[in-house]
Amino acid sequence: MSAVQAIASPVTSSGRRLAIRLRPGRMVLNVVLALIAIFWMVPTISLLVISLRPSSSYGVSGWWTVFTDPAQLTLQNYKALFSTGFATGGILDSVITTALITVPATLLVTAISSLAAYSLVFGRWRGRTFVFLLIVGLLVVPVQVALIPVAQLYDAFFNLTGLHVYATLPGVVIFHVAFGLPFGIFLMRNFYTGIPKDLLEAGRIDGAGEWTLFRRVVLPLGLPAAASLAIFQFIWVWNDLLVGLVFLGGNAHHTLTIYLFSFTRTLSNDYWVIATGGIISILVPLAIFFAFQRYFVRGVLAGAVK
Amino acid sequence: MAALPRRRSLGLRRAVATPAPELGGVPLSAGALVETGRPPGGGWRSHLGSLLFLAPAVIWLAVIVGYPLIGTIRDSFYNGNSTSFVGLANYKTVFSTADILVTFRNNVIWVVVAPFLLTFLGLVFAVITERIRWATAFKTVVFMPIAFSMTASGLVWNSIMNIDPHVGVLNATLETVSDWFSPPGLYPVNTSAGQTIASLAASGLRPGPGGTLVSSASVSPGQSLRLGLIGISPATLELVGAKSAQTVSPVSGAVNGLVWRAFSPAHPTVRNQVFPGEDGIVGMHLTLLGSDGSSVATTTTDVHGDFSFTGVSSGSYHVQLDSTNFSSGFTGIYWLSGNQSITPTSGLSQTAQALLSIPLVDMSMIIAYLWIWAGFAMVIIGAGLAAINREVLEAARIDGATEWQTFRRVTMPMLAPVLVVVFVTMIINVLKIFDIIVNMAPSVSQSNTLATELYYVGFSSPPAYGLASALAVLLFILVVPVIFINLRRIR
């Protein structure tokens, strides 16, 4: 219990910083930290620079030569990747495919989790704690455990109804939602328990139905948590490789990670595609990371159990 | 309603990570009293309403998580396409197939090494960023990789750790450092192709100590030496600008001679004569050794391969071709090699060494993993640090505790639960490690883990669903203890 409480406070509370004392060691500390920060940026910078160098220069000279010879920078790799437009299996098609999986999966998880958390916190039925603990138990179940049975389930569904789910976008979304729900419910439920029940009881006395209470009282109050969950889930699904590989199987459309993964066998020849596609693939999560860093950090702190 | 906004921010801070205690037990205002009676908002309809809210989640989880969990256990006792019962055969296969046992070894390496290093790194970062003014910038930089897919990260590190110093920045850096201390010679010996320095000696030379070649005969001032080498390519000589070799005549008071490539297509077996068309070896560093083996003078051959030590006092000498001529310098570390291992050497039995050796590729991938996740550990541990009551720390200092004692005796015990959270989270994360391995390891068979092996076994053709399910069940068994840890913590 204390563990979770300890991590609950906001990250950057400058007032809590230990007293800064002037010491010669502090200079050294700053230099060492600066070196670590540079080291941490090198991979990202290298990917960006490789994507901006001619594709033929990979393996001939190092990307760091750009610092002495900036003239080699070019946009030709991006032009080459974009030149095929939205052709199936291309980079732009992969961006669309990834978005078509990520956005529904995120919205569904956020909506369903919020509803379930409402029921778990404000519902008046027995066994709420038991159901919640059951869901908490599912938090760490690895996706690997469900891959094969769910694939078989999709097949059985096709045999029954003639509707394809395997190798379709809905098939991927369904799987992602299922494995996003335990964390989503956990996060939303914990947030909702902080909402005073008087608020709802007042509404109930006035004759408001459960849907109205959820829609008018709990949902607006829970927006910050919903935002954390949505951002966390969005980045999680956007960056997934395994679920896409399995459930998008024979589909001609790829997610961005599958697109990148498909070049790992021809790495040295096609590294320019990987670098350029890699930069394109991280743009969206990076933009979200910087725009909503506070919410993202909250999601991470809450997700320490996932 | 006026109090609402305040309530909201308070709720956020606690509720995001804290399972706050149920408010139900606390006697509240009028609302709570009503709750004990009949629900006013419409009896059974209200019950049904809130139960309906739970329905989508429960159905979804039951069909896509709950049922498959049972399905996997069932499949693990069935054959490859789940049609006939095979008992424990799949589990026997798992524990008797060498390739699959390698996956266990790799999983153990990951689980033992990665969470420990990560928690340590996160702790160090969290503690020291409390002492700098630009902590937010540092944290952002270190935390940012968590937004990248592990696929992209794995591919980035694949390039960074490339063996070719023209591609991999890691090896390029090491090459620069290495060249400061021991620059490569003009005539590097390709040891990886089986070439030895001794095999270069063609005439008038024998292997000397420490990778050198020494003239077979002793020499006095006024005498000449002819030192022939083979195994040096004409292309190399052309590159360094070598010219044709000529026999050198003795000069009084000097030790002189010729170092040349003693190979002529016209006389392929004659080594001790200088034929037309044979090139001198330029830029060879030589040392004149006294009779006791000490260095007397040094010189370098010219474009014709000629050398001369002048003003040499009388006595008996040897000429040495220095080892630096043949040094191959830094050729790159194959970071992603599954065959090279970090092996403990000190006084352990061979079995113990084999068990404790870590393939280099696993360590390299763990470095990439640290790059991705250290920010995560730092942020959580940092939040834990910020939550520690400063008055307790101040009290310890006032009592005369040193900085280190305060950290060790006060901060660490208070932080321990947070460290456990990070550690356990990372164990779970590492057990399922997949993306980094398939994108970074050149030969997956060497660095397979449970998760990658499961994918390759279960989703190749023909599929081995039974075997893959057995692996999934084992993976699940490994996370079961964490389920109970979570439940205890949350209750």
Side-chain angles (χ1 to χ4, degrees):
Chain A
M1 193 66 185
S2 57
V4 204
Q5 271 168 352
I7 61 172
S9 337
V11 205
T12 50
S13 75
S14 50
R16 297 225 165 203
R17 214 171 280 167
L18 297 173
I20 295 173
R21 295 170 197 162
L22 279 175
R23 259 183 280 149
R26 285 215 31 239
M27 182 74 182
V28 180
L29 190 69
N30 274 295
V31 171
V32 170
L33 280 185
L35 288 176
I36 293 174
I38 290 169
F39 171 80
W40 234 264
M41 286 190 290
V42 162
T44 317
I45 293 170
S46 80
L47 197 69
L48 181 65
V49 170
I50 293 172
S51 79
L52 291 171
R53 294 178 78 215
S55 55
S56 55
S57 61
Y58 189 79
V60 179
S61 62
W63 56 267
W64 49 92
T65 56
V66 81
F67 296 117
T68 49
D69 175 23
Q72 56 185 310
L73 290 177
T74 165
L75 284 172
Q76 70 177 48
N77 294 336
Y78 290 90
K79 280 180 190 150
L81 278 196
F82 290 144
S83 67
T84 53
F86 287 89
T88 303
I91 183 85
L92 290 175
D93 180 59
S94 303
V95 173
I96 302 291
T97 308
T98 310
L100 286 177
I101 289 170
T102 307
V103 172
T106 304
L107 292 178
L108 280 168
V109 164
T110 313
I112 296 175
S113 300
S114 302
L115 277 172
Y118 175 91
S119 182
L120 286 171
V121 176
F122 303 110
R124 282 170 293 176
W125 44 278
R126 281 164 193 277
R128 283 175 296 162
T129 312
F130 176 73
V131 172
F132 176 64
L133 288 178
L134 214 59
I135 290 169
V136 166
L138 296 179
L139 269 174
V140 293
V141 173
V143 291
Q144 281 87 350
V145 169
L147 294 176
I148 290 167
V150 172
Q152 290 171 333
L153 207 62
Y154 286 174
D155 272 347
F157 185 78
F158 169 72
N159 293 335
L160 208 67
T161 62
L163 288 173
H164 281 287
V165 190
Y166 190 76
T168 65
L169 300 192
V172 185
V173 172
I174 289 170
F175 193 90
H176 273 307
V177 170
F179 277 84
L181 280 177
F183 171 63
I185 297 171
F186 174 74
L187 191 149
M188 295 311 296
R189 187 258 185 197
N190 285 344
F191 190 89
Y192 286 172
T193 48
I195 297 175
K197 289 196 169 175
D198 327 26
L199 285 174
L200 275 85
E201 290 309 328
R204 283 191 174 123
I205 291 167
D206 291 344
E210 296 296 316
W211 174 252
T212 313
L213 290 173
F214 173 70
R215 179 74 190 74
R216 301 279 165 165
V217 182
V218 175
L219 199 60
L221 285 177
L223 268 184
S228 284
L229 171 60
I231 289 157
F232 202 72
Q233 177 73 10
F234 186 97
I235 292 183
W236 188 264
V237 176
W238 186 277
N239 288 337
D240 158 78
L241 172 67
L242 179 59
V243 176
L245 267 183
V246 170
F247 290 105
L248 218 47
N251 200 305
H253 301 280
H254 299 316
T255 64
L256 280 163
T257 46
I258 297 176
Y259 176 86
L260 293 177
F261 175 66
S262 68
F263 290 99
T264 51
R265 296 284 159 261
T266 54
L267 203 66
S268 50
N269 286 330
D270 295 328
Y271 201 86
W272 68 274
V273 185
I274 288 172
T276 315
I279 289 292
I280 295 168
S281 81
I282 64 177
L283 283 181
V284 172
L286 214 54
I288 287 178
F289 173 79
F290 279 113
F292 304 103
Q293 204 174 348
R294 284 173 69 88
Y295 292 111
F296 187 66
V297 167
R298 284 188 188 125
V300 166
L301 289 179
V305 288
K306 188 165 181 173
Chain B
M1 283 310 252
L4 206 71
R6 240 183 49 213
R7 221 27 234 205
R8 178 170 155 183
S9 62
L10 200 143
L12 180 73
R13 202 191 287 174
R14 291 176 53 191
V16 167
T18 316
E22 292 265 350
L23 294 174
V26 184
L28 290 167
S29 53
L33 294 172
V34 177
E35 194 179 16
T36 56
R38 288 288 296 172
W44 62 271
R45 280 215 339 245
S46 169
H47 279 270
L48 192 69
S50 67
L51 263 177
L52 271 179
F53 285 8
L54 191 68
V58 166
I59 293 169
W60 215 299
L61 286 171
V63 176
I64 308 292
V65 185
Y67 160 76
L69 202 57
I70 298 159
T72 294
I73 296 171
R74 174 197 169 276
D75 280 357
S76 73
F77 297 109
Y78 278 70
N79 66 346
N81 50 14
S82 313
T83 48
S84 63
F85 185 77
V86 294
L88 288 169
N90 290 317
Y91 292 93
K92 279 184 190 147
T93 311
V94 166
F95 290 108
S96 60
T97 311
D99 281 355
I100 299 180
L101 290 176
V102 168
T103 72
F104 283 110
R105 195 231 15 216
N106 287 333
N107 255 79
V108 168
I109 291 171
W110 272 95
V111 168
V112 169
V113 179
F116 178 78
L117 287 181
L118 203 107
T119 313
F120 177 76
L121 207 60
L123 177 64
V124 170
F125 284 177
V127 169
I128 55 182
T129 47
E130 285 206 318
R131 288 142 205 265
I132 57 167
R133 287 174 196 282
W134 49 290
T136 310
F138 181 86
K139 282 179 176 171
T140 304
V141 165
V142 175
F143 193 50
M144 194 176 69
I146 210 171
F148 299 175
S149 63
M150 289 219 254
T151 303
S153 302
L155 289 166
V156 171
W157 280 90
N158 196 311
S159 163
I160 288 176
M161 292 185 160
N162 196 299
I163 187 170
D164 184 352
H166 292 300
V167 178
V169 68
L170 191 56
N171 276 333
T173 310
L174 292 178
E175 185 187 39
T176 311
V177 174
S178 164
D179 285 358
W180 280 339
F181 296 106
S182 63
L186 278 178
Y187 307 101
V189 168
N190 193 353
T191 46
S192 58
Q195 200 180 23
T196 62
I197 292 168
S199 75
L200 296 178
S203 72
L205 285 167
R206 59 180 167 81
T212 60
L213 291 172
V214 180
S215 62
S216 326
S218 64
V219 63
S220 304
Q223 292 184 321
S224 283
L225 281 173
R226 281 207 310 252
L227 307 173
L229 293 173
I230 52 168
I232 289 168
S233 81
T236 309
L237 287 175
E238 196 180 332
L239 205 70
V240 294
K243 300 261 166 38
S244 63
Q246 290 136 17
T247 314
V248 180
S249 11
V251 174
S252 82
V255 171
N256 67 356
L258 167 72
V259 183
W260 91 110
R261 179 171 180 267
F263 180 82
S264 162
H267 308 274
T269 56
V270 184
R271 298 270 188 259
N272 56 2
Q273 291 177 45
V274 181
F275 294 106
E278 292 184 339
D279 281 338
I281 291 178
V282 54
M284 185 66 73
H285 294 283
L286 306 175
T287 305
L288 190 65
L289 299 178
S291 51
D292 56 349
S294 63
S295 161
V296 176
T298 60
T299 189
T300 308
T301 56
D302 67 9
V303 287
H304 298 286
D306 294 352
F307 68 89
S308 178
F309 297 99
T310 51
V312 180
S313 52
S314 62
S316 165
Y317 299 95
H318 281 88
V319 173
Q320 172 188 276
L321 278 59
D322 296 343
S323 61
T324 51
N325 297 300
F326 312 113
S327 153
S328 51
F330 181 79
T331 51
I333 293 174
Y334 190 14
W335 294 102
L336 302 178
S337 163
N339 299 321
Q340 290 176 30
S341 297
I342 301 165
T343 312
T345 45
S346 55
L348 286 169
S349 73
Q350 283 211 318
T351 327
Q353 286 193 10
L355 277 174
L356 292 173
S357 75
I358 300 173
L360 196 55
V361 61
D362 284 343
M363 276 318 291
S364 301
M365 291 191 296
I366 288 173
I367 290 174
Y369 184 82
L370 291 181
W371 178 75
I372 301 170
W373 287 97
F376 169 86
M378 174 189 69
V379 164
I380 293 181
I381 297 171
L385 272 178
I388 290 177
N389 193 341
R390 275 193 64 205
E391 285 168 20
V392 180
L393 299 179
E394 281 305 323
R397 290 208 187 89
I398 290 166
D399 287 349
T402 63
E403 195 87 7
W404 171 249
Q405 282 172 329
T406 313
F407 179 75
R408 179 71 191 78
R409 304 272 171 207
V410 184
T411 309
M412 278 300 278
M414 293 179 86
L415 207 55
V418 182
L419 298 181
V420 170
V421 168
V422 172
F423 196 75
V424 170
T425 308
M426 283 303 122
I427 287 180
I428 291 294
N429 205 315
V430 154
L431 276 174
K432 306 184 281 189
I433 195 89
F434 175 83
D435 315 36
I436 286 205
I437 288 161
V438 296
N439 286 296
M440 215 173 140
S443 127
V444 176
S445 66
Q446 280 287 336
S447 22
N448 253 346
T449 59
L450 271 176
T452 57
E453 180 73 8
L454 187 152
Y455 173 75
Y456 286 116
V457 167
F459 296 93
S460 54
S461 56
Y465 285 161
L467 189 55
S469 298
L471 289 169
V473 170
L474 292 173
L475 188 62
F476 181 67
I477 289 172
L478 290 175
V479 302
V480 165
V482 181
I483 293 181
F484 286 102
I485 292 173
N486 272 346
L487 287 178
R488 270 188 58 189
R489 216 175 64 203
I490 281 149
R491 195 156 24 176

